[in-house]
Amino acid sequence: MDVSLTPAVERVARVLAGQRISANADGDAESASRAIDGAWRDYLPDAIAVLKTLREPDAAMAKAGDPQVWEAMILAGLEQGKPVVM
């Protein structure tokens, strides 16, 4: 299985931004990559909300694997989404 180098919260935020910006989804930008690069951080609160919702697996997900491991993985992804305080 491949492991992404990009944090899950950023990947979700980029998908949400792309969905709204790209003409390949609900947006109107023909070439959206630069716009998405500039906008994905605006979608971090939504991405965090999605990950928080996924903390608890549904019955099919729990049957397919270990729910405690799943929760730990989602919580680790959420931890990466916290703002850096300097």
Coordinates of all heavy atoms in Angstrom, one line a residue:
M1 N 0.9 -1.2 0.0 CA 0.0 0.0 0.0 C 0.9 1.2 0.0 O 1.9 1.3 0.7 CB -0.9 0.0 1.2 CG -1.7 1.3 1.4 SD -2.7 1.4 2.8 CE -4.1 0.5 2.3
D2 N 0.5 2.2 -0.8 CA 1.3 3.5 -0.8 C 0.9 4.3 0.4 O -0.2 4.2 0.9 CB 0.9 4.3 -2.1 CG 1.4 3.6 -3.4 OD1 2.4 2.9 -3.3 OD2 0.8 3.8 -4.4
V3 N 1.9 5.1 0.8 CA 1.7 6.0 1.9 C 1.9 7.4 1.4 O 3.0 7.7 0.9 CB 2.6 5.7 3.1 CG1 2.5 6.7 4.2 CG2 2.3 4.3 3.7
S4 N 1.0 8.3 1.6 CA 1.1 9.7 1.1 C 2.1 10.5 2.0 O 2.2 10.3 3.2 CB -0.3 10.3 1.2 OG -0.2 11.7 0.8
L5 N 2.8 11.3 1.3 CA 3.7 12.3 2.0 C 3.0 13.5 2.4 O 3.5 14.3 3.2 CB 4.9 12.6 1.1 CG 5.8 11.4 0.6 CD1 6.8 11.9 -0.3 CD2 6.4 10.7 1.9
T6 N 1.8 13.7 1.9 CA 1.0 14.9 2.2 C 0.0 14.6 3.3 O -0.7 13.5 3.3 CB 0.2 15.4 0.9 OG1 1.1 15.5 -0.1 CG2 -0.6 16.6 1.2
P7 N -0.1 15.4 4.4 CA -1.0 15.1 5.5 C -2.4 14.9 5.0 O -2.9 15.6 4.1 CB -0.9 16.3 6.4 CG 0.5 16.9 6.0 CD 0.7 16.6 4.6
A8 N -3.2 14.0 5.7 CA -4.6 13.8 5.3 C -5.4 15.0 5.3 O -6.2 15.2 4.4 CB -5.1 12.7 6.2
V9 N -5.3 15.8 6.3 CA -6.1 17.0 6.4 C -5.9 18.0 5.2 O -6.8 18.6 4.7 CB -5.9 17.7 7.8 CG1 -4.5 18.4 7.9 CG2 -7.0 18.7 8.0
E10 N -4.6 18.1 4.8 CA -4.3 18.9 3.6 C -4.9 18.3 2.3 O -5.5 19.0 1.5 CB -2.8 19.1 3.4 CG -2.5 19.9 2.1 CD -1.0 20.1 1.9 OE1 -0.2 20.0 2.8 OE2 -0.7 20.4 0.7
R11 N -4.8 16.9 2.2 CA -5.4 16.3 1.0 C -6.9 16.5 0.9 O -7.5 16.7 -0.1 CB -5.0 14.8 1.0 CG -3.6 14.6 0.8 CD -3.1 13.1 0.5 NE -4.0 12.1 0.9 CZ -3.8 11.4 2.0 NH1 -2.9 11.6 2.9 NH2 -4.7 10.4 2.3
V12 N -7.6 16.4 2.1 CA -9.0 16.6 2.1 C -9.4 18.0 1.8 O -10.3 18.3 1.0 CB -9.7 16.2 3.5 CG1 -11.1 16.5 3.5 CG2 -9.5 14.7 3.7
A13 N -8.6 19.0 2.3 CA -8.8 20.4 2.0 C -8.6 20.7 0.6 O -9.4 21.4 0.0 CB -7.9 21.3 2.9
R14 N -7.6 20.1 0.0 CA -7.4 20.3 -1.5 C -8.5 19.7 -2.3 O -8.9 20.3 -3.3 CB -6.0 19.7 -1.9 CG -4.8 20.5 -1.4 CD -3.5 19.8 -1.8 NE -2.4 20.7 -1.5 CZ -2.0 21.7 -2.3 NH1 -2.6 22.0 -3.4 NH2 -1.0 22.4 -1.9
V15 N -9.0 18.6 -1.9 CA -10.2 18.0 -2.7 C -11.4 18.9 -2.6 O -12.1 19.1 -3.6 CB -10.5 16.6 -2.1 CG1 -11.9 16.1 -2.6 CG2 -9.4 15.6 -2.5
L16 N -11.7 19.4 -1.4 CA -12.8 20.3 -1.2 C -12.6 21.6 -2.0 O -13.6 22.1 -2.7 CB -13.0 20.6 0.3 CG -13.4 19.4 1.2 CD1 -13.4 19.9 2.6 CD2 -14.8 18.9 0.8
A17 N -11.4 22.1 -2.0 CA -11.1 23.3 -2.8 C -11.3 23.0 -4.3 O -11.9 23.8 -5.0 CB -9.7 23.9 -2.5
G18 N -10.8 21.9 -4.7 CA -10.9 21.5 -6.1 C -12.3 21.3 -6.6 O -12.7 21.6 -7.7
Q19 N -13.1 20.7 -5.7 CA -14.5 20.5 -6.0 C -15.2 21.8 -6.3 O -16.1 21.9 -7.1 CB -15.2 19.8 -4.8 CG -16.6 19.5 -5.1 CD -17.2 18.8 -3.9 OE1 -16.8 18.9 -2.7 NE2 -18.3 18.1 -4.1
R20 N -14.8 22.9 -5.6 CA -15.5 24.1 -5.7 C -14.9 25.0 -6.8 O -15.6 25.9 -7.4 CB -15.5 24.9 -4.4 CG -16.5 24.2 -3.4 CD -16.2 24.6 -2.0 NE -17.1 23.9 -1.1 CZ -17.0 22.7 -0.6 NH1 -16.0 22.0 -1.0 NH2 -17.8 22.2 0.2
I21 N -13.6 24.8 -7.1 CA -12.9 25.7 -8.1 C -12.8 25.1 -9.5 O -13.0 25.8 -10.5 CB -11.5 26.0 -7.5 CG1 -11.6 26.8 -6.2 CG2 -10.7 26.7 -8.6 CD1 -10.3 26.9 -5.5
S22 N -12.6 23.8 -9.6 CA -12.3 23.2 -10.9 C -13.5 23.0 -11.7 O -14.5 22.5 -11.3 CB -11.6 21.8 -10.6 OG -11.3 21.2 -11.9
A23 N -13.3 23.2 -13.0 CA -14.4 22.9 -14.0 C -14.6 21.4 -14.1 O -15.7 21.0 -14.6 CB -14.0 23.5 -15.4
N24 N -13.7 20.6 -13.6 CA -13.9 19.2 -13.6 C -14.9 18.7 -12.5 O -15.3 17.6 -12.5 CB -12.6 18.4 -13.4 CG -11.7 18.6 -14.6 OD1 -12.2 18.7 -15.8 ND2 -10.4 18.6 -14.4
A25 N -15.3 19.7 -11.7 CA -16.2 19.4 -10.6 C -17.3 20.5 -10.7 O -18.0 20.6 -11.7 CB -15.5 19.5 -9.2
D26 N -17.6 21.2 -9.6 CA -18.6 22.2 -9.6 C -18.2 23.6 -9.9 O -19.0 24.5 -10.0 CB -19.3 22.2 -8.2 CG -20.1 20.9 -7.9 OD1 -20.5 20.3 -8.9 OD2 -20.2 20.5 -6.8
G27 N -16.9 23.8 -10.1 CA -16.3 25.1 -10.3 C -16.3 25.5 -11.8 O -16.9 24.8 -12.7
D28 N -15.6 26.6 -12.1 CA -15.6 27.0 -13.5 C -14.2 27.2 -14.0 O -14.0 27.6 -15.2 CB -16.4 28.3 -13.7 CG -16.0 29.4 -12.8 OD1 -15.0 29.3 -12.2 OD2 -16.8 30.4 -12.8
A29 N -13.2 27.0 -13.2 CA -11.8 27.2 -13.6 C -11.3 26.0 -14.5 O -11.4 24.9 -14.1 CB -10.9 27.3 -12.4
E30 N -10.9 26.3 -15.7 CA -10.4 25.3 -16.6 C -9.1 24.7 -16.2 O -8.8 23.5 -16.3 CB -10.2 25.9 -18.0 CG -11.6 26.2 -18.7 CD -12.4 25.0 -19.0 OE1 -11.9 24.0 -19.3 OE2 -13.7 25.2 -18.9
S31 N -8.2 25.6 -15.7 CA -6.9 25.1 -15.1 C -6.8 25.6 -13.7 O -6.5 26.8 -13.4 CB -5.7 25.7 -16.0 OG -4.5 25.3 -15.5
A32 N -7.1 24.7 -12.8 CA -7.4 25.1 -11.4 C -6.3 24.9 -10.4 O -6.4 25.3 -9.3 CB -8.6 24.4 -10.9
S33 N -5.2 24.3 -10.8 CA -4.1 23.9 -9.9 C -3.6 25.1 -9.1 O -3.4 25.0 -7.9 CB -3.0 23.1 -10.5 OG -2.3 23.9 -11.5
R34 N -3.3 26.2 -9.7 CA -2.8 27.3 -9.0 C -3.8 27.9 -8.0 O -3.5 28.3 -6.9 CB -2.3 28.4 -10.0 CG -1.0 28.1 -10.6 CD -0.5 29.3 -11.4 NE 0.7 28.9 -12.1 CZ 1.3 29.7 -13.0 NH1 0.8 30.8 -13.3 NH2 2.4 29.2 -13.6
A35 N -5.0 28.0 -8.5 CA -6.1 28.5 -7.6 C -6.3 27.6 -6.4 O -6.4 28.1 -5.3 CB -7.4 28.6 -8.4
I36 N -6.2 26.3 -6.6 CA -6.3 25.3 -5.5 C -5.1 25.5 -4.6 O -5.3 25.5 -3.3 CB -6.5 23.9 -6.0 CG1 -7.8 23.7 -6.7 CG2 -6.3 22.9 -4.9 CD1 -8.0 22.5 -7.5
D37 N -3.9 25.6 -5.1 CA -2.7 25.8 -4.3 C -2.9 27.0 -3.4 O -2.4 27.1 -2.3 CB -1.5 26.0 -5.1 CG -1.0 24.7 -5.7 OD1 -1.4 23.6 -5.3 OD2 -0.1 24.7 -6.7
G38 N -3.5 28.1 -3.9 CA -3.7 29.3 -3.1 C -4.9 29.3 -2.2 O -5.0 30.0 -1.2
A39 N -5.9 28.3 -2.4 CA -7.1 28.4 -1.6 C -7.3 27.2 -0.7 O -8.2 27.3 0.2 CB -8.3 28.4 -2.6
W40 N -6.5 26.1 -0.8 CA -6.9 25.0 0.0 C -6.9 25.2 1.5 O -7.6 24.6 2.3 CB -6.0 23.8 -0.3 CG -4.5 23.9 0.1 CD1 -3.5 24.4 -0.7 CD2 -4.0 23.5 1.4 NE1 -2.3 24.3 0.1 CE2 -2.6 23.8 1.3 CE3 -4.5 23.0 2.5 CZ2 -1.7 23.6 2.4 CZ3 -3.6 22.8 3.6 CH2 -2.3 23.1 3.5
R41 N -6.0 26.1 2.0 CA -6.0 26.4 3.4 C -7.3 27.0 3.9 O -7.7 26.8 5.1 CB -4.8 27.4 3.8 CG -3.5 26.7 3.7 CD -2.4 27.7 3.7 NE -1.1 27.1 3.5 CZ -0.6 26.9 2.3 NH1 -1.3 27.2 1.2 NH2 0.6 26.3 2.1
D42 N -8.1 27.6 3.0 CA -9.4 28.2 3.4 C -10.4 27.1 3.7 O -11.4 27.3 4.3 CB -9.9 29.0 2.3 CG -9.1 30.3 2.0 OD1 -8.4 30.7 2.9 OD2 -9.2 30.8 0.9
Y43 N -10.1 25.9 3.2 CA -11.0 24.7 3.4 C -10.5 23.8 4.6 O -11.1 22.7 4.8 CB -11.1 23.9 2.1 CG -11.7 24.7 1.0 CD1 -11.0 25.5 0.2 CD2 -13.1 24.7 0.9 CE1 -11.6 26.3 -0.8 CE2 -13.7 25.5 -0.1 CZ -13.0 26.3 -0.9 OH -13.6 27.0 -1.9
L44 N -9.5 24.2 5.3 CA -9.0 23.4 6.4 C -10.1 23.1 7.5 O -10.2 22.0 8.0 CB -7.8 24.0 7.1 CG -6.5 23.7 6.4 CD1 -5.3 24.5 7.0 CD2 -6.1 22.2 6.4
P45 N -10.9 24.1 7.9 CA -12.0 23.8 8.8 C -12.9 22.8 8.3 O -13.4 21.9 9.1 CB -12.7 25.2 9.0 CG -11.6 26.2 8.7 CD -10.8 25.6 7.6
D46 N -13.3 22.8 7.1 CA -14.2 21.8 6.5 C -13.5 20.4 6.5 O -14.1 19.4 6.8 CB -14.6 22.1 5.1 CG -15.5 23.4 5.1 OD1 -16.2 23.6 6.1 OD2 -15.5 24.1 4.0
A47 N -12.2 20.4 6.2 CA -11.4 19.1 6.1 C -11.4 18.5 7.5 O -11.5 17.3 7.7 CB -10.0 19.4 5.6
I48 N -11.1 19.4 8.5 CA -11.1 18.9 9.9 C -12.4 18.3 10.3 O -12.5 17.3 11.0 CB -10.6 20.0 10.8 CG1 -9.1 20.3 10.6 CG2 -10.9 19.7 12.3 CD1 -8.6 21.6 11.2
A49 N -13.5 19.0 9.9 CA -14.9 18.5 10.2 C -15.1 17.1 9.6 O -15.7 16.2 10.2 CB -15.9 19.5 9.7
V50 N -14.6 16.9 8.4 CA -14.8 15.6 7.7 C -14.0 14.6 8.5 O -14.5 13.5 8.8 CB -14.3 15.7 6.2 CG1 -14.2 14.3 5.6 CG2 -15.2 16.6 5.4
L51 N -12.8 14.9 8.8 CA -12.0 13.9 9.6 C -12.6 13.6 10.9 O -12.6 12.4 11.4 CB -10.5 14.3 9.7 CG -9.7 14.3 8.4 CD1 -8.3 14.8 8.6 CD2 -9.6 12.9 7.8
K52 N -13.1 14.6 11.6 CA -13.7 14.3 12.9 C -14.9 13.4 12.8 O -15.2 12.5 13.6 CB -14.2 15.7 13.5 CG -13.0 16.4 14.2 CD -13.5 17.7 14.8 CE -12.4 18.4 15.5 NZ -12.8 19.6 16.2
T53 N -15.7 13.6 11.7 CA -16.8 12.7 11.4 C -16.4 11.2 11.2 O -17.1 10.3 11.6 CB -17.6 13.2 10.2 OG1 -18.1 14.5 10.4 CG2 -18.7 12.3 9.8
L54 N -15.2 11.1 10.6 CA -14.7 9.7 10.3 C -14.0 9.0 11.4 O -13.6 7.9 11.3 CB -13.7 9.8 9.1 CG -14.4 10.1 7.7 CD1 -13.3 10.3 6.7 CD2 -15.3 9.0 7.3
R55 N -13.9 9.7 12.6 CA -13.3 9.1 13.8 C -13.9 7.8 14.1 O -13.3 6.8 14.5 CB -13.3 10.0 15.0 CG -12.4 11.1 15.0 CD -12.5 11.9 16.2 NE -13.8 12.5 16.2 CZ -14.2 13.5 17.1 NH1 -13.4 13.9 18.0 NH2 -15.4 14.0 17.0
E56 N -15.3 7.7 14.0 CA -16.0 6.5 14.3 C -16.3 5.8 13.0 O -17.1 6.3 12.2 CB -17.3 6.8 15.1 CG -17.1 7.4 16.4 CD -18.4 7.8 17.1 OE1 -19.4 7.5 16.5 OE2 -18.3 8.4 18.2
P57 N -15.7 4.6 12.8 CA -16.1 3.8 11.6 C -17.5 3.3 11.6 O -18.1 3.1 12.7 CB -15.1 2.7 11.6 CG -14.8 2.5 13.1 CD -14.9 3.8 13.7
D58 N -18.1 3.2 10.5 CA -19.4 2.6 10.4 C -19.2 1.0 10.5 O -18.1 0.5 10.7 CB -20.2 3.0 9.2 CG -19.5 2.5 7.9 OD1 -18.8 1.5 7.9 OD2 -19.7 3.2 6.8
A59 N -20.3 0.3 10.5 CA -20.3 -1.1 10.8 C -19.5 -1.9 9.7 O -18.7 -2.7 10.1 CB -21.7 -1.7 10.8
A60 N -19.6 -1.5 8.5 CA -18.8 -2.2 7.4 C -17.3 -1.9 7.6 O -16.5 -2.8 7.4 CB -19.3 -1.7 6.0
M61 N -17.0 -0.7 7.9 CA -15.6 -0.3 8.1 C -15.0 -1.1 9.3 O -13.9 -1.6 9.3 CB -15.4 1.2 8.3 CG -15.8 2.0 7.1 SD -16.1 3.7 7.4 CE -14.4 4.3 7.9
A62 N -15.8 -1.1 10.4 CA -15.3 -1.8 11.6 C -15.1 -3.3 11.3 O -14.2 -4.0 11.8 CB -16.3 -1.6 12.8
K63 N -16.0 -3.9 10.5 CA -15.9 -5.3 10.2 C -14.7 -5.6 9.3 O -14.0 -6.6 9.4 CB -17.2 -5.7 9.4 CG -17.2 -7.2 9.1 CD -18.5 -7.6 8.4 CE -18.5 -9.1 8.1 NZ -19.7 -9.4 7.4
A64 N -14.2 -4.6 8.5 CA -13.1 -4.8 7.6 C -11.8 -4.6 8.3 O -10.7 -5.1 7.8 CB -13.2 -3.8 6.5
G65 N -11.7 -4.0 9.5 CA -10.4 -3.8 10.2 C -10.6 -3.5 11.6 O -11.7 -3.7 12.2
D66 N -9.6 -3.0 12.3 CA -9.6 -2.7 13.7 C -10.0 -1.3 14.0 O -9.3 -0.3 13.6 CB -8.2 -2.9 14.2 CG -8.1 -2.8 15.7 OD1 -8.9 -2.0 16.3 OD2 -7.1 -3.4 16.3
P67 N -11.2 -1.1 14.6 CA -11.7 0.2 14.8 C -10.8 1.1 15.7 O -10.7 2.3 15.5 CB -13.1 0.0 15.5 CG -13.5 -1.4 15.1 CD -12.2 -2.1 15.0
Q68 N -10.1 0.5 16.6 CA -9.2 1.3 17.5 C -8.0 1.8 16.7 O -7.6 2.9 16.9 CB -8.7 0.4 18.7 CG -9.8 0.2 19.7 CD -9.4 -0.7 20.8 OE1 -8.6 -1.6 20.6 NE2 -9.9 -0.4 22.0
V69 N -7.5 1.0 15.8 CA -6.4 1.5 14.9 C -6.9 2.6 14.0 O -6.3 3.6 13.8 CB -5.8 0.3 14.1 CG1 -4.9 0.8 13.0 CG2 -5.2 -0.7 15.0
W70 N -8.1 2.4 13.4 CA -8.7 3.4 12.6 C -8.8 4.8 13.3 O -8.4 5.8 12.8 CB -10.1 3.0 12.1 CG -10.9 4.0 11.4 CD1 -11.8 4.9 11.9 CD2 -10.7 4.4 10.0 NE1 -12.2 5.7 10.9 CE2 -11.6 5.4 9.7 CE3 -9.9 3.9 9.0 CZ2 -11.7 6.0 8.5 CZ3 -10.1 4.5 7.7 CH2 -10.9 5.5 7.5
E71 N -9.4 4.7 14.5 CA -9.5 5.9 15.3 C -8.2 6.6 15.6 O -8.0 7.8 15.5 CB -10.3 5.7 16.6 CG -10.5 6.9 17.4 CD -11.1 6.7 18.8 OE1 -10.9 5.6 19.4 OE2 -11.7 7.7 19.3
A72 N -7.2 5.8 15.9 CA -5.9 6.3 16.2 C -5.3 7.0 14.9 O -4.6 8.0 15.0 CB -4.9 5.2 16.7
M73 N -5.5 6.4 13.8 CA -5.0 7.0 12.5 C -5.7 8.3 12.2 O -5.1 9.3 11.8 CB -5.2 6.0 11.4 CG -4.3 4.7 11.5 SD -4.8 3.4 10.4 CE -4.1 4.1 8.9
I74 N -7.0 8.3 12.4 CA -7.8 9.6 12.2 C -7.3 10.7 13.1 O -7.1 11.8 12.8 CB -9.3 9.3 12.2 CG1 -9.8 8.4 11.1 CG2 -10.0 10.7 12.2 CD1 -9.6 9.0 9.7
L75 N -7.2 10.3 14.4 CA -6.7 11.3 15.4 C -5.3 11.8 15.1 O -5.0 13.0 15.3 CB -6.8 10.7 16.8 CG -8.2 10.4 17.4 CD1 -8.1 9.7 18.7 CD2 -9.0 11.7 17.5
A76 N -4.5 11.0 14.6 CA -3.1 11.4 14.1 C -3.2 12.4 13.0 O -2.5 13.4 12.9 CB -2.3 10.2 13.8
G77 N -4.1 12.1 12.1 CA -4.4 13.0 10.9 C -4.9 14.4 11.4 O -4.5 15.4 10.9
L78 N -5.8 14.3 12.4 CA -6.3 15.6 13.0 C -5.2 16.4 13.7 O -5.2 17.6 13.6 CB -7.5 15.3 13.9 CG -8.8 14.9 13.3 CD1 -9.8 14.3 14.3 CD2 -9.4 16.1 12.6
E79 N -4.3 15.7 14.3 CA -3.2 16.4 15.0 C -2.4 17.1 14.1 O -2.0 18.3 14.4 CB -2.4 15.3 15.8 CG -1.4 15.9 16.7 CD -1.9 16.6 17.9 OE1 -3.0 16.3 18.4 OE2 -1.3 17.6 18.3
Q80 N -2.2 16.6 12.9 CA -1.4 17.3 11.9 C -2.2 18.6 11.3 O -1.6 19.5 10.8 CB -1.1 16.4 10.7 CG 0.0 15.4 11.0 CD 0.4 14.7 9.7 OE1 -0.5 14.2 9.0 NE2 1.7 14.5 9.5
G81 N -3.5 18.6 11.6 CA -4.3 19.7 11.1 C -4.3 20.9 12.1 O -4.9 21.9 11.8
K82 N -3.7 20.7 13.2 CA -3.7 21.8 14.2 C -2.8 22.9 13.8 O -1.7 22.7 13.2 CB -3.3 21.3 15.6 CG -4.3 20.4 16.3 CD -3.9 20.1 17.7 CE -5.0 19.2 18.3 NZ -4.5 18.8 19.7
P83 N -3.2 24.2 14.0 CA -2.3 25.3 13.6 C -1.0 25.3 14.4 O -1.0 24.9 15.6 CB -3.1 26.5 13.9 CG -4.3 26.1 14.7 CD -4.4 24.6 14.6
V84 N 0.0 25.7 13.7 CA 1.3 25.8 14.4 C 1.4 27.1 15.2 O 1.1 28.1 14.7 CB 2.5 25.8 13.4 CG1 3.8 25.9 14.1 CG2 2.4 24.5 12.6
V85 N 1.6 26.9 16.5 CA 1.7 28.1 17.4 C 3.2 28.4 17.7 O 3.9 27.5 18.1 CB 1.0 27.8 18.7 CG1 1.1 29.0 19.6 CG2 -0.5 27.5 18.4
M86 N 3.6 29.6 17.4 CA 5.0 30.0 17.6 C 5.1 31.0 18.7 O 4.3 31.7 19.1 CB 5.5 30.6 16.3 CG 5.6 29.6 15.2 SD 6.5 30.3 13.8 CE 6.2 29.1 12.6

